[in-house]
Amino acid sequence: MKTKEISILIGFLGALFTFSIIFLKRIAFGSYEFGIILGLTLSIVVLPYGIVVYLEDRENYILEKDLLDYLSQIESYVKSGKSLLFVLTIPKSERKKPLKKRLLQLEKMLNLGMTPDEALNRIAESMPTLISKEAFSIIHRLIVYGGDVSGVLESAREHLGDLFAIENEKRSVMRNYGSIIYISFFILLVIIIFFIRFFVYKFASASFATPFSSATNTTLLKNLMLQFLVIEGFVSGLITGKLIAGKISSGFVHSAIMILLTLVAYSIFL
């Protein structure tokens, strides 16, 4: 079973166990405890998979960055007169883990007697990002068809370097938009806490009649606001992940962070 599948199973089972507490203890849907359990359930169901996706995105970024240095290194080897096939796995010990792991796989396949064509084709297909796939596809074609190896490697390195720079700049810009969502959510959280603590509670203890004079109304409003913030945090996290990384699954970690901080802040200040 793959890591992602295991994380989904862990999240689902953990969330199922947490949510079942509502029925086991017969917790009312409008209660404060229901809001807490709802927040914990949503956090647990997305956090394991979200962590896996976050680590995968981080590894892919390291891979792409390291790949540009790798292309430059094998280009210098080729220019010194060495064969491209010979130098493909030489820099493996100097590379970082994501690329080193794949170069070791390539070396192992070649040592087991697999043809360079088949081995490089498998490595190219297993690459997780567009830039890494393109880099090893170019190396694959150079091994199979030959040509101006050093010239093609230089052009590929410059082209892929430009693509990496564009993607990096895009990530940087989108992180700013993601930060705006974080700031907006926490401003909303602070406003609601202040509203309940310094407005609703004050009116509840006032000597004259108000909609909040009833303890039932005040408690219900507090509980419903918590449930609203939990749902808002979950959705805001998904949007943040979509903006920053271009996929909803990257927002699972952000959703869990927003929900858990909401539960902590709500418990402390209210």
Side-chain angles (χ1 to χ4, degrees):
M1 190 178 288
K2 295 181 180 179
T3 306
K4 284 187 175 180
E5 293 172 347
I6 293 172
S7 66
I8 292 172
L9 182 61
I10 291 172
F12 177 76
L13 293 176
L16 186 63
F17 173 77
T18 305
F19 196 72
S20 65
I21 296 173
I22 293 174
F23 301 99
L24 293 174
K25 292 191 174 183
R26 298 180 180 179
I27 296 172
F29 287 99
S31 66
Y32 180 77
E33 290 78 10
F34 177 80
I36 294 292
I37 292 176
L38 176 64
L40 290 175
T41 300
L42 290 176
S43 299
I44 291 170
V45 78
V46 299
L47 190 56
Y49 187 78
I51 291 173
V52 171
V53 172
Y54 169 78
L55 293 175
E56 186 181 78
D57 289 343
R58 184 172 174 270
E59 185 177 275
N60 291 343
Y61 175 79
I62 293 171
L63 171 65
E64 289 184 342
K65 188 175 181 180
D66 195 29
L67 188 58
L68 298 176
D69 291 332
Y70 169 73
L71 290 174
S72 178
Q73 195 170 8
I74 63 172
E75 178 193 335
S76 64
Y77 281 137
V78 170
K79 286 182 176 178
S80 67
K82 294 182 175 65
S83 163
L84 176 58
L85 181 60
F86 175 75
V87 303
L88 278 180
T89 57
I90 288 179
K92 60 181 181 297
S93 59
E94 302 170 32
R95 305 274 51 100
K96 294 177 181 177
K97 185 179 177 181
L99 182 56
K100 181 180 180 179
K101 178 176 66 177
R102 288 167 173 84
L103 292 178
L104 287 171
Q105 289 175 353
L106 176 61
E107 185 178 54
K108 184 178 180 180
M109 285 188 285
L110 293 173
N111 290 338
L112 289 173
M114 192 177 292
T115 63
D117 182 11
E118 187 178 359
L120 281 166
N121 187 50
R122 287 192 182 185
I123 291 294
E125 289 178 352
S126 69
M127 285 294 162
T129 66
L130 179 62
I131 290 177
S132 58
K133 281 183 183 294
E134 186 64 24
F136 275 89
S137 294
I138 291 170
I139 293 172
H140 176 215
R141 289 194 291 270
L142 284 173
I143 292 291
V144 175
Y145 302 111
D148 182 10
V149 176
S150 61
V152 172
L153 285 175
E154 183 178 2
S155 299
R157 177 175 53 80
E158 292 175 354
H159 172 65
L160 295 177
D162 290 340
L163 286 179
F164 179 76
I166 292 170
E167 285 295 319
N168 208 24
E169 185 177 352
K170 179 183 174 183
R171 287 191 198 102
S172 179
V173 171
M174 298 316 291
R175 279 193 202 101
N176 293 333
Y177 288 109
S179 300
I180 292 172
I181 295 178
Y182 263 98
I183 293 169
S184 300
F185 176 75
F186 287 118
I187 288 174
L188 174 64
L189 175 61
V190 170
I191 289 173
I192 288 178
I193 289 174
F194 269 81
F195 172 74
I196 295 174
R197 186 166 185 174
F198 298 105
F199 182 79
V200 175
Y201 285 178
K202 293 290 184 183
F203 274 87
S205 59
S207 57
F208 53 89
T210 71
F212 307 114
S213 296
S214 170
T216 302
N217 291 345
T218 302
T219 302
L220 180 61
L221 179 63
K222 173 188 170 183
N223 298 342
L224 291 178
M225 283 297 181
L226 174 60
Q227 295 169 28
F228 163 74
L229 285 170
V230 165
I231 300 299
E232 176 66 21
F234 181 76
V235 175
S236 295
L238 297 182
I239 295 171
T240 302
K242 180 66 175 176
L243 282 174
I244 294 176
K247 53 186 180 181
I248 294 293
S249 58
S250 294
F252 287 170
V253 168
H254 300 290
S255 292
I257 290 172
M258 290 185 184
I259 292 171
L260 292 175
L261 287 179
T262 297
L263 297 181
V264 171
Y266 222 77
S267 299
I268 291 173
F269 295 107
L270 293 178

